[in-house]
Amino acid sequence: MRTNPTGRALQLLSLLQTHRFWPCAELADRLGVTERTVRRDLDRLREIGYPVDSTSGRYGGYRLATGTHVPPLILDDEEAVAVAIGLRYAAEAAVSGIEETSLRALAKIEALLPQRLRRRVSALHSSVASLRRAVDDDVIHPESLSVFAAACRDHEHVRFDYLRSDGESSGRHVEPHQLVTAGRRWYLVAWDGQRDDWRTFRLDRIREPRPVSSHFAPRAIPGGDAADFVARSIGRSARDHEATLVIHKPFAEVEGVLQWADHALREEHAEHCVVGIRSEDLGRLAMTVAEIALTAPVSVIEPAELAGAVEQLATHLTDRAHLA
């Protein structure tokens, strides 16, 4: 079969960039050429700087190796669309500084997309809106991600200061095992030697993580899955403080503001709804009530201490307004 050498080389490069081992016979079948032609095309790729590794034997084949520079990437239509969409929503991640970097990369990708693909990406961007918090109190620094990712990989101890939910700070010395994302929030699953138990840490509450150059033997995470462990941990902390509210608007009109709260609809009526909310401390419950109050009048049914906390918050805000 006669094929265009340039087009065949691009298709070959696209296959190799998956970083799996490709037997020569399978590459030849994919490209519709002989194995001799495949080997000749692989030699051409090596000549222009693509590091192609080869292994012999039953499970051998060819694979694109990690090089010392970034060669041009070859993406098919679906991969190009996936990258553009991923960059668009990476710009809304809770990682400090990643927004601008993601948007710069997205602009470069979209400028290279053919019109048919650009329309697909544009249609999705224009049809989907993202609801953002009024205050991003869970933004983390990319340096923290790098420290913990390396520590999880290398099984290295890390020290850091941790801001607890009660506002107090404590020093920790842990064995990091896994990073877990839940929405816009990041968690670290680690063994805390001082407490002789597993712990879940929110990365936005961690300050000055420092590897200490000592290593540990990895342990089995309870249940065998870090994401499930975090989900159970979040559930336990969320049930520490619960409240019942009457919101004086139909549920459909306040559902948007409740999206960021751990909530459950208990009763729905024409002009009001009864909602249960949960959080890890009383202060955050009070802030949730304050956020809802910007949209609709709210009455706290229980607990009584939450009603007092909301009144105190309202007094502080009024005093600050008078001072301003």
Side-chain angles (χ1 to χ4, degrees):
M1 179 185 298
R2 295 179 61 84
T3 58
N4 180 286
T6 301
R8 190 175 64 240
L10 293 177
Q11 187 179 356
L12 175 60
L13 186 56
S14 180
L15 293 172
L16 292 173
Q17 283 177 165
T18 63
H19 286 280
R20 57 162 283 196
F21 275 105
W22 290 89
C24 189
E26 188 174 350
L27 289 173
D29 183 63
R30 290 288 192 106
L31 300 173
V33 297
T34 65
E35 293 184 30
R36 181 180 179 183
T37 300
V38 169
R39 285 190 287 269
R40 188 165 57 243
D41 288 345
L42 289 168
D43 287 339
R44 291 196 183 100
L45 289 178
R46 292 188 180 105
E47 288 173 0
I48 60 176
Y50 288 95
V52 180
D53 284 344
S54 62
T55 58
S56 57
R58 181 180 177 184
Y59 300 105
Y62 298 92
R63 182 177 68 178
L64 191 66
T66 301
T68 58
H69 64 284
V70 180
L73 294 176
I74 306 299
L75 304 176
D76 63 26
D77 285 3
E78 298 304 320
E79 290 169 342
V81 171
V83 169
I85 292 171
L87 287 170
R88 168 65 175 81
Y89 294 105
E92 298 179 2
V95 181
S96 176
I98 202 172
E99 298 91 343
E100 182 183 351
T101 305
S102 298
L103 291 174
R104 286 203 315 268
L106 176 61
K108 294 177 182 178
I109 292 289
E110 289 190 333
L112 298 174
L113 291 178
Q115 183 61 27
R116 68 181 189 282
L117 299 183
R118 196 178 305 167
R119 289 183 62 188
R120 288 174 57 184
V121 174
S122 177
L124 181 64
H125 291 345
S126 62
S127 301
V128 178
S130 298
L131 189 62
R132 300 291 299 275
R133 292 174 184 254
V135 177
D136 288 329
D137 59 351
D138 52 3
V139 172
I140 63 174
H141 295 288
E143 292 81 3
S144 293
L145 279 179
S146 299
V147 167
F148 286 115
C152 291
R153 179 196 63 201
D154 301 333
H155 312 307
E156 185 174 10
H157 290 98
V158 175
R159 292 185 184 275
F160 55 84
D161 295 324
Y162 191 68
L163 183 66
R164 302 198 306 259
S165 59
D166 60 6
E168 296 296 322
S169 182
S170 62
R172 301 298 179 97
H173 182 199
V174 305
E175 300 174 1
H177 278 69
Q178 188 78 48
L179 292 169
V180 176
T181 60
R184 284 173 49 81
R185 191 158 284 171
W186 290 75
Y187 295 89
L188 171 71
V189 177
W191 174 264
D192 190 330
Q194 295 170 299
R195 289 154 180 80
D196 197 32
D197 199 2
W198 288 94
R199 289 290 187 268
T200 298
F201 300 97
R202 278 176 42 182
L203 258 65
D204 58 295
R205 292 182 174 177
I206 289 176
R207 302 290 182 269
E208 300 182 4
R210 307 171 297 280
V212 295
S213 300
S214 62
H215 298 267
F216 60 88
R219 306 168 186 262
I221 296 174
D225 186 272
D228 287 344
F229 180 78
V230 170
R232 293 193 299 271
S233 299
I234 294 174
R236 287 196 298 269
S237 67
R239 289 192 292 271
D240 287 344
H241 292 80
E242 301 184 11
T244 302
L245 313 176
V246 175
I247 306 176
H248 300 279
K249 272 192 178 182
F251 182 73
E253 296 184 22
V254 296
E255 191 172 5
V257 72
L258 287 169
Q259 179 174 345
W260 298 112
D262 183 1
H263 71 281
L265 175 64
R266 296 181 179 172
E267 298 179 24
E268 187 170 11
H269 303 278
E271 296 183 354
H272 73 278
C273 58
V274 179
V275 175
I277 60 172
R278 296 170 293 276
S279 187
E280 55 203 52
D281 58 63
L282 194 65
R284 290 186 179 274
L285 281 180
M287 292 300 296
T288 299
V289 173
E291 289 182 22
I292 298 170
L294 295 174
T295 302
V298 184
S299 301
V300 177
I301 303 302
E302 59 179 0
E305 55 265 31
L306 175 60
V310 171
E311 290 179 3
Q312 187 176 19
L313 175 62
T315 299
H316 289 329
L317 291 175
T318 301
D319 291 343
R320 284 182 175 274
H322 288 160
L323 289 174

